[in-house]
């Protein structure tokens, strides 16, 4: 069953002294409940725009977005957006614990003690036990992204919308976060939509990879990875199927520059 | 660290002491007329009496009362209007011309017209101080609110925070460094306008006393009250710097 549907979504931005530029052209995709879907595309193809529209943070110029069957206008409670710029999405004046509590403290019946207990549990889930009293700037980039992840998980969303969440950390930290991501996804039955320009990341984590064209962007094709579950984010990279997919997708991105296949 | 900071004060304080000693010598040697500038030692005697007799308390409290109440009201109004203007385009378009008209007027010049409407009592003085305080805070708050990171606001939205909560828990804290910078400017203005309105109305407080002593040719007393005023300014600044450091304790320190 589809939990998130984009139907003929268009987005154009006003241009100075000219007609508006079309950034997204009749893009349709349907995300199944519980799947891990990556959206892969060259830089500047509007991947973030797509994700922000899905999250209700940006209004499309045309088309419809539905979450759990309901049309989206404004951020739906089922979905949480995880930003690429983790450093800018955390509140610098709050401790790590209070940053995570931010996700739930405004909910009815939530006391301060309760929201902090929720925060501590989520921090444990992302491997940050004992860092609750630190401030975000005292942590490394990878750890800050874990805090952002803990905050998103604290909201108990059905859908996690992740905008290049691992692109600003070093390669080793990235692999570490990939493992964590797979673990959390398997445990919690999440639906994940991950936007990335990293082919290996997309293939290693996903059930399906959707390839985006250059602007005006639309879905060029959707590939089922068919890789086994549960899988290890590192070991999967050594399987023939992974290499085959990587080759295929890179080929498309490089030779056709991502134009509609 | 603390020791280094204290040591850093030494040259400046030594220079100040040297200047006072020089002044003392110049007056004693007859280079400056005693009637206009009594020797610092004579001022000190008066100052000591004022402080030990408790005579200082009444006027000091009167002036500080104006400063604090006026500063409080002006801060609340400035932060509220600045936030509204920074957040809602409609509020900005409505109020911006008015603010730009009012802002350049030296607020001291508003004391005489305000006296027409509000008389010479505390209401007028507090209104004058509040008016002077409002504008720097308003303008800084406006800038701070406008500069809040889009990503931070979207983080609040994706977690289901409504506008009111986002304003209180995200926008205002994020704008706080700007707001406090405006408040620091305004605190100095508050003291200036408080003293000036006391002088113009001839009623109570440190400002009135300085003028009154000068008119009565009690020159040593005049200087003694002036020193007290300087100390008040110094204390207010120190108090504010302390409060600011506490409020911004989360700011990254390298």
């Amino acid at each position: 069953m589809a939990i998130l549907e984009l139907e003929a979504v268009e987005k154009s931005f006003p241009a100075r002294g000219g007609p508006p530029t079309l950034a997204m052209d009749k893009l349709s995709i349907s995300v199944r409940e519980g799947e891990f879907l990556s959206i892969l595309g060259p830089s500047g193809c509007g991947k973030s725009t797509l994700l922000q529209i899905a999250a209700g943070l940006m209004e499309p110029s045309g088309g419809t977005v539905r979450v759990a069957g309901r049309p989206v206008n404004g951020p739906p409670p089922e979905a949480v957006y995880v930003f690429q710029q983790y450093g800018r999405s955390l509140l610098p004046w709050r401790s790590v614990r209070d940053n995570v509590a931010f996700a739930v403290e405004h909910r009815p019946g939530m006391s301060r003690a309760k929201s902090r207990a929720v925060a501590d549990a989520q921090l444990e889930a992302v491997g940050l036990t004992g860092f609750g009293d630190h401030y975000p700037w005292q942590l490394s980039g990878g750890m800050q992204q874990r805090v952002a992840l803990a905050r998103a998980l604290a909201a108990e969303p059905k859908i996690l919308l992740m905008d290049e969440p691992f692109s600003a950390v070093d390669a080793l930290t990235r692999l570490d976060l990939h493992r964590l991501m797979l673990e959390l996804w398997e445990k919690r039955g999440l639906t994940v939509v991950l936007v990335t320009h990293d082919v290996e990341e997309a293939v290693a984590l996903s059930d399906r990879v959707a390839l985006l064209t250059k602007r005006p962007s639309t879905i060029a094709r959707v590939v089922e990875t068919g890789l086994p579950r549960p899988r290890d984010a590192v070991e999967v990279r050594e399987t023939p199927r992974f290499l085959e997919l990587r080759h295929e997708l890179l080929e498309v991105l490089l030779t056709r520059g991502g134009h509609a296949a | 660290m603390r020791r280094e900071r204290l040591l850093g004060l030494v040259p400046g304080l030594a220079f100040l002491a040297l200047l006072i000693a020089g002044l003392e010598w110049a007056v004693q040697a007859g280079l400056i007329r005693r009637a206009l500038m009594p020797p610092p030692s004579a001022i000190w005697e008066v100052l000591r009496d004022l402080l030990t007799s408790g005579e200082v308390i009444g006027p000091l409290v009167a002036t500080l009362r104006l400063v604090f109440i006026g500063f409080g009201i002006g801060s609340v109004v400035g932060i509220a209007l600045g936030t509204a203007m920074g957040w809602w385009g409609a509020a900005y378009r409505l109020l911006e011309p008015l603010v730009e008209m009012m802002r350049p007027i030296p607020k001291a010049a508003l004391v005489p017209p305000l006296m027409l409407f509000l008389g010479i009592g505390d209401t007028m003085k507090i209104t004058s101080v509040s008016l002077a305080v409002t504008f720097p805070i308003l303008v800084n708050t406006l800038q701070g609110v406008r500069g809040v990171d889009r990503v931070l606001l979207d983080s609040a939205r994706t977690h289901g925070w409504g506008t009111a909560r986002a304003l209180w828990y995200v926008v205002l804290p994020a704008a706080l460094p700007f707001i406090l910078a405006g408040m620091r400017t305004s605190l100095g203005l508050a003291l200036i306008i408080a003293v000036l309105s006391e002088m113009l109305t001839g009623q109570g407080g440190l400002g009135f006393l300085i003028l009154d002593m000068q008119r009565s040719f009690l020159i040593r007393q005049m200087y003694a009250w002036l020193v007290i005023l300087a100390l008040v300014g110094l204390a207010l600044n120190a108090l504010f710097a302390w409060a600011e450091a506490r409020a911004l304790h989360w700011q990254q320190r390298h």
Side-chain angles (χ1 to χ4, degrees):
Chain A
M1 204 201 104
I3 189 160
L4 168 66
E5 295 158 282
L6 278 77
E7 212 179 285
V9 169
E10 289 184 11
K11 182 70 190 176
S12 48
F13 291 103
R16 217 173 260 177
T21 37
L22 193 63
M24 190 171 291
D25 190 18
K26 294 204 173 57
L27 186 151
S28 299
I29 191 164
S30 148
V31 182
R32 304 171 197 148
E33 188 161 4
E35 84 168 318
F36 200 125
L37 172 80
S38 285
I39 293 168
L40 185 65
S43 296
C45 72
K47 300 188 293 281
S48 297
T49 306
L50 165 60
L51 208 59
Q52 292 208 0
I53 288 173
L57 292 173
M58 193 188 280
E59 262 189 67
S61 312
T64 45
V65 179
R66 274 189 298 272
V67 166
R70 286 175 292 106
V72 162
N73 46 38
E78 291 90 348
V80 170
Y81 194 98
V82 179
F83 294 84
Q84 176 182 15
Q85 311 95 325
Y86 47 80
R88 285 163 56 197
S89 84
L90 299 173
L91 309 174
W93 56 88
R94 284 191 178 211
S95 69
V96 163
R97 179 181 297 111
D98 289 343
N99 258 292
V100 179
F102 177 89
V104 291
E105 67 190 31
H106 58 296
R107 296 189 173 169
M110 192 55 81
S111 67
R112 194 170 165 78
K114 223 163 146 188
S115 64
R116 291 184 146 198
V118 169
D120 280 333
Q122 300 305 328
L123 284 171
E124 192 188 339
V126 300
L128 285 180
T129 310
F131 287 95
D133 292 321
H134 285 64
Y135 282 89
W137 54 269
Q138 294 173 312
L139 305 183
S140 69
M143 289 164 93
Q144 287 183 32
Q145 191 56 288
R146 280 170 193 260
V147 177
L149 199 55
R151 180 176 71 181
L153 291 170
E156 296 194 318
K158 287 203 168 80
I159 312 169
L160 222 46
L161 302 166
M162 309 186 80
D163 182 11
E164 305 208 24
F166 314 122
S167 64
V169 297
D170 64 86
L172 207 59
T173 307
R174 191 174 312 140
L175 283 178
D176 206 23
L177 286 169
H178 285 166
R179 273 192 167 147
L180 174 68
M181 205 49 235
L182 281 182
E183 179 198 324
L184 291 168
W185 173 77
E186 270 157 21
K187 260 195 211 156
R188 306 205 179 196
L190 292 163
T191 305
V192 177
V193 180
L194 173 85
V195 153
T196 181
H197 61 259
D198 179 345
V199 174
E200 294 195 12
E201 176 173 284
V203 175
L205 299 178
S206 310
D207 298 310
R208 289 194 299 161
V209 179
L211 223 79
L212 231 53
T213 62
K214 280 187 178 166
R215 281 179 176 229
S217 56
T218 193
I219 304 279
R221 63 156 106 171
V222 182
V223 180
E224 295 263 358
T225 62
L227 290 164
R229 298 276 187 197
R231 74 175 78 140
D232 181 275
V234 177
E235 282 165 18
V236 75
R237 287 164 206 255
E238 288 146 23
T239 62
R241 175 64 181 152
F242 175 90
L243 296 171
E244 182 191 331
L245 283 166
R246 187 185 74 160
H247 184 85
E248 187 185 330
L249 291 169
L250 276 175
E251 198 70 9
V252 177
L253 283 173
L254 288 172
T255 57
R256 274 172 261 181
H259 283 295
Chain B
M1 192 61 208
R2 217 184 156 75
R3 211 185 125 98
E4 271 172 36
R5 274 191 57 200
L6 287 175
L7 281 174
L9 290 173
V10 169
L13 290 176
F15 182 60
L16 192 63
L18 195 70
L19 278 182
I20 293 172
L23 189 62
E24 179 81 28
W25 172 80
V27 179
Q28 301 289 8
L31 295 174
I32 298 174
R33 278 176 61 193
R34 233 167 225 272
L36 304 183
M37 180 74 236
S41 55
I43 297 169
W44 164 245
E45 272 167 35
V46 178
L47 187 62
R48 199 184 48 204
D49 286 348
L50 285 178
L51 294 175
T52 50
S53 69
E55 210 181 314
V56 67
I57 292 173
L60 184 65
V61 168
T63 302
L64 284 180
R65 197 171 146 266
L66 293 183
V67 169
F68 284 130
I69 298 178
F71 184 68
I73 295 173
S75 297
V76 170
V77 173
I79 293 170
L81 288 180
T83 306
M85 287 173 72
W87 189 257
W88 289 287
Y92 180 79
R93 287 187 290 276
L94 180 71
L95 295 173
E96 201 257 352
L98 177 69
V99 168
E100 284 309 310
M101 273 288 291
M102 296 281 290
R103 197 158 69 98
I105 302 175
K107 300 306 171 295
L110 292 179
V111 176
L114 281 173
M115 281 164 77
L116 292 180
F117 283 94
L118 302 171
I120 57 170
D122 278 357
T123 315
M124 187 285 292
K125 292 177 196 159
I126 289 170
T127 308
S128 305
V129 173
S130 306
L131 261 175
V133 164
T134 299
F135 289 91
I137 297 177
L138 188 157
V139 172
N140 269 46
T141 305
L142 170 62
Q143 278 174 356
V145 168
R146 281 196 166 171
V148 176
D149 198 326
R150 189 75 238 162
V151 172
L152 218 50
L153 297 175
D154 279 343
S155 298
R157 288 180 65 206
T158 194
H159 281 103
W161 283 45
T163 303
R165 269 194 87 85
L167 276 175
W168 187 253
Y169 288 103
V170 179
V171 175
L172 280 179
L176 194 61
F178 286 84
I179 296 172
L180 288 173
M183 287 174 78
R184 188 191 265 276
T185 308
S186 285
L187 189 59
L189 283 176
L191 187 59
I192 293 173
I193 300 299
V195 167
L196 184 88
S197 65
E198 284 168 349
M199 286 181 170
L200 288 174
T201 57
Q203 273 198 335
L206 300 174
F208 167 69
L209 273 169
I210 289 170
L211 192 66
D212 195 40
M213 296 297 146
Q214 185 250 348
R215 283 175 174 162
S216 319
F217 292 105
L218 295 168
I219 302 303
R220 284 184 304 162
Q221 279 78 357
M222 180 194 80
Y223 280 112
W225 285 108
L226 198 58
V227 172
I228 289 168
L229 195 55
L231 294 176
V232 168
L234 206 61
L236 285 176
N237 267 332
L239 188 70
F240 191 82
W242 173 82
E244 192 178 25
R246 278 186 67 98
L248 300 180
H249 68 96
W250 49 270
Q251 277 199 334
Q252 198 161 337
R253 265 156 287 176
H254 292 288

